[in-house]
């Protein structure tokens, strides 16, 4: 399909983004850049989740109006995404008037369909998660219920509210999760299926009394309530592409929507979101791509655990966004949590970016300039090397089409390692006219560069500009299609960091 719509979760802007948010956003950006490179029409959206108790409290603590806070923070997030070279097409904010309109209309539609009713609610709430916890879900410490994620005491809340009839969608959800391959990796679909089968699906409260939570979208038919922040937030995925406003645009992008999320928000994006969509007569998303956590000393990295790794520190350490992007994508894992450390990051950066890819670029550039004045004409191809390039490309495309970015990177790096070994074997510096060797090696480097472009866009562009070729779809480009390389520079792309 040539249109693809890619989303990240929208983040709570009560604090600036950290490495965990960068992990999701960079991954989504790599997919977006990859699909653009393949000539597809991509719409890539990220943004901020600006309503709810968490933001209301953050603003109260700072003594500012929540709108002032979220306006400021939207700029902060955009600044970070610029630093990390995130190529989003649209930055959505849940305070955008168009989004607010959609939330109100969606609630009204569900109300008219008889899927919303008023009743009393009581339960244990975690403000950090913006979520109620039932018995068995929370942990107990000193006889008190605690949030299993944030390790903070839960608040007891009892109030009249409006419910969404989630329970009606139990069979639909079970069938969808069992029969479709929407959720990737599949283990996450099974996790939700088991939970729904065991616990059933309880109706969810989708309103909050405005005297407690006033910072939210006003409930359309009862001014005394605001819409529950998660209900509001999930709708960003449809409001951002013109739902209830521009049908044609909405249908075009929705038909191939890929949501990227962390496993912490899996329940909301399956049980709740799939049901809300069904209730609104919207088909389920094409794919829900779920990843595991970055952890440090066994704990999920996050503000609440106090083990945040700052994005700006990483950018400084690895000299620019490409180093950070590469490292995070190289360790990217959808199934398992990844324990991170400076040592791990340093060793990936030094051994792969500096010593492998960077080294190949520098060696080839210097050799071509020294031996051939930077001009390398097309020569006959070495069958063995062509086969390695071709096989790598095939594997890379397969991995990327299957969302497996880390494996795709490893495959490309194998090619780069082969090319470095090839130089050592043929010793072009000892030859009088090493044109053939250099041409073949440059073709290997060119394909590695095209394939690495979505991950390290700045460095690969620099290589393309210095060596005189263009960044294009690796599938469409043929090996041996460059008539002449004109190498004007042999850049040092990545300077090694000193291992701590
Ligand atoms: N606002 C909601 C999402 C609404 S989407 C309709 C929210 N925001 S959040 O700011 O808490 O961001 C959560 C997301 O950040 C996770 O799903 C994940 O993508 C990312 N991560 C935050 N910490 C992370 C790690 N330590 N590791 C990996 N990803 C992490 O939830």
């Amino acid at each position: 399909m040539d249109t693809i719509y890619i989303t990240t979760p929208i983040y709570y802007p009560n604090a600036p983004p950290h490495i965990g948010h960068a992990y999701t956003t960079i991954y989504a950006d790599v997919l977006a850049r990859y699909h653009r490179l393949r000539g597809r029409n991509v719409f890539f959206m990220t943004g901020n989740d600006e309503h709810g108790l968490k933001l209301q409290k953050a603003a109260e603590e700072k003594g500012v109006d929540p709108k002032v806070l979220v306006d400021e923070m939207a700029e902060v997030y955009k600044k970070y995404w610029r630093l990390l070279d995130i190529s989003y097409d649209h930055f959505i904010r849940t305070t955008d008037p168009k989004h607010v309109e959609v939330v109100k209309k969606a609630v009204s539609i569900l109300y008219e369909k008889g899927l919303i009713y008023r009743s009393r609610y009581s339960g244990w709430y975690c403000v950090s998660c913006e979520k109620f916890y039932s018995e068995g879900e929370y942990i107990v410490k000193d006889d008190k219920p605690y949030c299993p994620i944030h390790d903070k005491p839960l608040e007891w809340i009892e109030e009249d509210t409006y419910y969404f009839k989630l329970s009606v969608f139990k069979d639909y959800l079970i069938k969808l999760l069992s029969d479709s391959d929407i959720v990737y990796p599949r283990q996450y679909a099974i996790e939700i299926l088991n939970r729904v089968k065991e616990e059933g699906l309880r109706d969810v409260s989708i309103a909050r009394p405005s005297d407690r939570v006033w910072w939210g979208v006003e409930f359309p038919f009862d001014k005394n309530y605001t819409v529950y922040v998660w209900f509001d937030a999930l709708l960003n995925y449809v409001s951002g592409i013109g739902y209830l406003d521009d049908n044609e645009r909405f249908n075009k992008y929705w038909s191939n929507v890929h949501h990227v999320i962390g496993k912490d928000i899996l329940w909301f994006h399956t049980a709740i979101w799939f049901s809300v969509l069904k209730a609104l007569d919207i088909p389920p998303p094409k794919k829900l791509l779920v990843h595991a956590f970055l952890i440090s000393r066994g704990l999920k990295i996050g503000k609440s655990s106090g083990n945040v790794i700052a994005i700006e520190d990483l950018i400084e350490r690895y000299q620019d966004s490409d180093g950070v992007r590469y490292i995070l994508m190289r360790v990217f894992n959808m199934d398992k949590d990844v324990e991170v450390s400076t040592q791990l990051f340093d060793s990936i950066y030094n051994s792969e970016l500096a010593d492998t890819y960077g080294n190949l670029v520098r060696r080839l550039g210097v050799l071509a300039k020294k031996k051939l004045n930077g001009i390398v004409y097309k020569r006959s191809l070495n069958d063995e090397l062509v086969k390695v390039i071709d096989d790598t490309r095939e594997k890379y495309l397969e991995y990327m089409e299957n969302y497996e970015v880390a494996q795709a990177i490893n495959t490309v790096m194998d090619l780069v390692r082969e090319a470095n070994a090839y130089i050592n074997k043929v010793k072009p510096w000892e030859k009088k006219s090493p044109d053939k060797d250099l041409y073949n090696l440059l073709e290997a480097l060119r394909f590695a560069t095209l394939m690495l472009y979505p991950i390290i866009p700045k460095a690969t562009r620099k290589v393309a500009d210095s060596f005189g070729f263009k960044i294009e779809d690796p599938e469409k480009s043929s090996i041996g299609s460059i008539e002449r390389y004109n190498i004007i520079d042999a850049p040092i792309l990545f300077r090694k960091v000193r291992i701590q």
Side-chain angles (χ1 to χ4, degrees), residues 66-178:
K67 182 65 168 65
V68 172
L69 175 66
V70 297
D71 282 352
E72 251 176 53
M73 290 305 284
E75 293 314 308
V76 170
Y77 272 71
K78 287 180 189 168
K79 184 191 89 190
Y80 276 96
W81 300 150
R82 252 197 315 277
L83 283 176
L84 288 171
D85 221 358
I86 303 300
S87 61
Y88 61 81
D89 297 296
H90 183 51
F91 187 94
I92 194 163
R93 302 179 49 189
T94 50
T95 52
D96 291 339
K98 270 197 172 169
H99 170 78
V100 170
E101 213 38 50
V102 167
V103 173
K104 287 184 177 172
K105 280 190 193 157
V107 172
S108 305
I109 294 172
L110 300 181
Y111 189 66
E112 276 153 29
K113 285 190 166 188
L115 289 167
I116 292 178
Y117 64 95
R118 193 184 163 113
S119 183
R120 193 146 184 87
Y121 190 88
S122 58
W124 292 104
Y125 198 71
C126 171
V127 181
S128 292
C129 295
E130 290 278 22
K131 167 179 172 175
F132 280 107
Y133 278 94
S134 50
E135 222 182 295
E137 277 185 317
Y138 56 68
I139 48 176
V140 180
K141 278 190 178 180
D142 307 327
D143 281 343
K144 284 192 205 95
Y146 271 66
C147 170
I149 293 181
H150 296 96
D151 198 29
K152 282 199 264 186
L154 299 175
E155 279 177 44
W156 178 255
I157 286 172
E158 206 171 328
E159 61 201 17
D160 269 0
T161 188
Y162 288 92
Y163 280 91
F164 168 61
K165 284 191 190 168
L166 188 64
S167 53
V168 171
F169 299 93
K170 185 175 167 195
D171 294 341
Y172 169 74
L173 195 66
I174 290 179
K175 193 163 164 19
L176 190 62
L177 290 170
S178 320

Side-chain angles (χ1 to χ4, degrees), residues 10-12 20-21 24 49 230 237 262 264-265 291 293-294 301:
I10 48 172
Y11 303 107
Y12 292 127
H21 306 112
T24 311
D49 186 354
W230 264 101
Y237 298 132
D264 49 340
I265 53 178
H291 64 73
F293 296 147
L294 289 180
I301 293 180

